[in-house]
């Protein structure tokens, strides 16, 4: 266990050691710091990292560490992790089954290994930056608290089952980029999935890709897709849309002829059974595109005027300049008739 972070001796070192070429230390408050130059070594489920049996609340990986090895924080009780820009890879099962609440993956990371965040059931937020290229098999599988995730244009490969069994997932979006290879069962059993933006250059709709996505109402399939499901006639073919009972419309970026070339008897029957309408030559609507009338966020110091600040001629009428007349103050000749000048006759006084 560990003591509260506001205790007087919270920052005292409770344990320390080495991991390959790196050093690590653990405070009494449970903050684990890994420092040095090089990668955290690979471990295994049979031979875990030296800190695995210790009470860790926060993981701080310092700049200079270049990689997070396999099983490095397997089933860790840490709730938070800091990953610096020096890290380029996250290994297989690196955070498998950990207690993490959120993770921010910097743009320096190019690869997330197989099962890296699998079964992180408390993970509610995962932020992924431009630069990531490969998401391994089952990388986020079973992250049952994760509801939304966006991926950058740099993605080139997403492994099988990467988001399988993310039962609370509502939205997944890939920014348009280069060609992307997609593995089987990518979103299988994401029961609450409502919105998906596929990579604009995805190569296929893979086997079981949307199986049991029972709330998914519509889907845009880009023209780059050349195959839907596995190769028909080789083994047992299953529709990627099995148990998608709410699917009503598929928008396809290609022509009707291109769509028909991907059809087979099983797939056609599957789509007909749930009465899916296919719209051909559909335009892609980029959810990441800026709104044409959106002025953006004002940044202090910009040369352009802050739209929330009125021009001088738009000031509050009560804040007039000295040389401008206050319209609420009458001219001399508009004074109250009771405040007459001495040389003007009071009309209430009769003539002599």
């Amino acid at each position: 266990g560990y003591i509260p972070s506001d205790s007087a001796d919270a920052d005292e070192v409770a344990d320390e050691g080495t991991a390959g070429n790196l050093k690590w230390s653990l405070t009494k408050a449970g903050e684990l710091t890994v420092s040095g130059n090089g990668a955290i070594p690979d471990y295994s489920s049979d031979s875990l990292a030296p800190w695995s049996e210790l009470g860790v609340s926060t993981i701080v990986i310092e700049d200079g560490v270049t990689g997070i090895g396999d099983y490095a924080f397997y089933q860790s009780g840490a709730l938070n992790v800091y990953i610096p820009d020096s890290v380029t890879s996250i290994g297989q099962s690196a955070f498998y089954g950990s207690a993490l609440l959120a993770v921010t993956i910097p743009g320096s990371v190019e690869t997330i290994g197989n099962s890296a965040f699998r079964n992180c059931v408390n993970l509610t937020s995962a932020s992924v930056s431009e630069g990531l290229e490969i998401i391994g098999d089952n990388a986020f599988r079973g992250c049952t608290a994760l509801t939304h995730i966006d991926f950058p244009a740099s993605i080139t490969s997403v492994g099988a089952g990467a988001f399988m069994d993310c039962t609370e997932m509502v939205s997944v979006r890939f920014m348009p980029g280069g060609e992307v290879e997609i593995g089987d069962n990518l979103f299988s059993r994401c029961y609450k999935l409502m919105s998906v933006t596929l990579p604009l250059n995805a190569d296929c709709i893979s086997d079981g890709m949307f199986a049991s996505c029972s709330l998914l109402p519509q889907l845009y399939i880009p023209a780059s897709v050349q195959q839907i499901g596995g190769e028909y006639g080789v083994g047992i073919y299953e529709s990627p849309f099995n148990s998608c009972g709410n699917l009503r419309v598929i928008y396809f970026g290609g022509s009707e002829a291109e769509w028909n070339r991907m059809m087979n008897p099983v797939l056609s029957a599957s789509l007909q059974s749930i009465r899916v309408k296919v719209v051909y030559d559909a335009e892609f609507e980029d959810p990441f595109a800026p709104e044409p009338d959106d002025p953006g966020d004002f940044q202090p110091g910009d040369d352009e005027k802050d739209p929330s600040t009125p021009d001088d001629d738009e000031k509050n009428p009560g804040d007039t300049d000295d040389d401008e007349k206050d319209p609420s103050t009458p001219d001399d000749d508009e004074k109250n008739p009771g405040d007459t000048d001495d040389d003007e006759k009071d009309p209430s006084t009769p003539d002599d």
Side-chain angles (χ1 to χ4, degrees):
Y2 43 84
I3 64 175
S5 58
D6 57 356
S7 298
D9 55 349
D11 294 332
E12 291 184 12
V13 174
D15 208 339
E16 60 186 342
T18 59
N21 295 325
L22 306 178
K23 295 180 179 180
W24 64 270
S25 63
L26 181 69
T27 67
K28 289 184 177 180
E31 182 172 291
L32 174 69
T33 301
V34 182
S35 60
N37 294 298
I40 297 174
D42 291 335
Y43 298 96
S44 70
S45 58
D46 297 325
S47 178
L48 294 173
W51 49 75
S52 62
E53 299 297 325
L54 305 177
V56 177
S57 63
T58 300
I59 300 166
V60 178
I61 302 171
E62 291 195 346
D63 192 47
V65 176
T66 57
I68 300 173
D70 297 350
Y71 292 85
F73 302 103
Y74 179 80
Q75 295 185 339
S76 170
L79 302 177
N80 305 290
V81 61
Y82 170 73
I83 302 174
D85 290 336
S86 57
V87 171
T88 60
S89 64
I90 298 175
Q92 175 179 331
S93 300
F95 294 94
Y96 185 114
S98 75
L100 288 179
L101 300 175
V103 62
T104 297
I105 300 171
S108 58
V109 174
E110 298 174 352
T111 304
I112 297 176
N114 297 344
S115 300
F117 295 93
R118 183 171 179 174
N119 290 347
C120 290
V121 297
N122 297 327
L123 190 68
T124 60
S125 173
S127 176
V128 183
S129 305
E130 179 71 24
L132 179 66
E133 297 177 2
I134 298 172
I135 302 171
D137 295 348
N138 303 306
F140 292 89
R141 180 173 178 173
C143 291
T144 53
L146 194 61
T147 59
H148 299 75
I149 193 165
D150 290 342
F151 287 101
S154 53
I155 294 290
T156 60
S157 176
V158 186
F163 303 100
M164 188 175 182
D165 295 322
C166 290
T167 53
E168 295 297 315
M169 185 71 75
V170 174
S171 172
V172 177
R173 304 189 303 177
F174 287 85
M175 291 187 71
E179 185 173 343
V180 181
E181 181 180 349
I182 293 178
D184 294 343
N185 298 302
L186 190 58
F187 304 109
S188 179
R189 297 200 292 266
C190 291
Y191 301 115
K192 295 185 180 181
L193 189 63
M194 293 287 290
S195 176
V196 178
T197 302
L198 294 173
L200 190 55
N201 290 298
D203 64 340
C204 70
I205 302 298
S206 60
D207 267 352
M209 188 167 180
F210 296 101
S212 298
C213 292
S214 52
L215 294 183
L216 185 67
Q218 62 184 35
L219 180 67
Y220 180 87
I221 298 178
S224 60
V225 169
Q226 302 295 310
Q227 183 172 319
I228 298 178
E231 186 176 351
Y232 183 70
V234 178
I236 299 175
Y237 179 89
E238 292 188 6
S239 168
F241 306 107
N242 278 348
S243 300
C244 290
N246 202 46
L247 185 62
R248 292 293 176 264
V249 184
I250 291 177
Y251 297 94
F252 179 53
S255 66
E256 183 175 2
E258 291 171 318
W259 177 265
N260 289 335
R261 281 197 291 269
M262 296 188 289
M263 291 297 101
N264 62 61
V266 175
L267 179 57
S268 295
S270 172
L271 295 176
Q272 289 174 6
S273 69
I274 53 177
R275 299 179 181 179
V276 174
K277 177 184 177 182
V278 180
V279 177
Y280 310 108
D281 300 309
E283 292 187 8
F284 173 70
E285 296 183 4
D286 184 1
F288 296 95
E291 294 290 339
D293 297 326
D294 185 359
D297 295 330
F298 173 74
Q299 298 296 327
D302 284 354
D303 292 333
E304 295 184 3
K305 172 183 171 292
D306 182 349
S308 65
T309 303
D311 294 323
D312 289 341
D313 58 356
E314 293 177 345
K315 289 180 179 178
N316 189 308
D319 298 333
T320 56
D321 295 332
D322 291 340
D323 58 350
E324 289 185 7
K325 173 182 173 294
D326 184 351
S328 64
T329 303
D331 295 326
D332 289 343
D333 57 355
E334 293 178 343
K335 290 181 179 178
N336 189 307
D339 298 333
T340 58
D341 294 331
D342 292 340
D343 58 350
E344 289 186 10
K345 179 177 180 296
D346 183 350
S348 63
T349 305
D351 294 329
D352 293 338

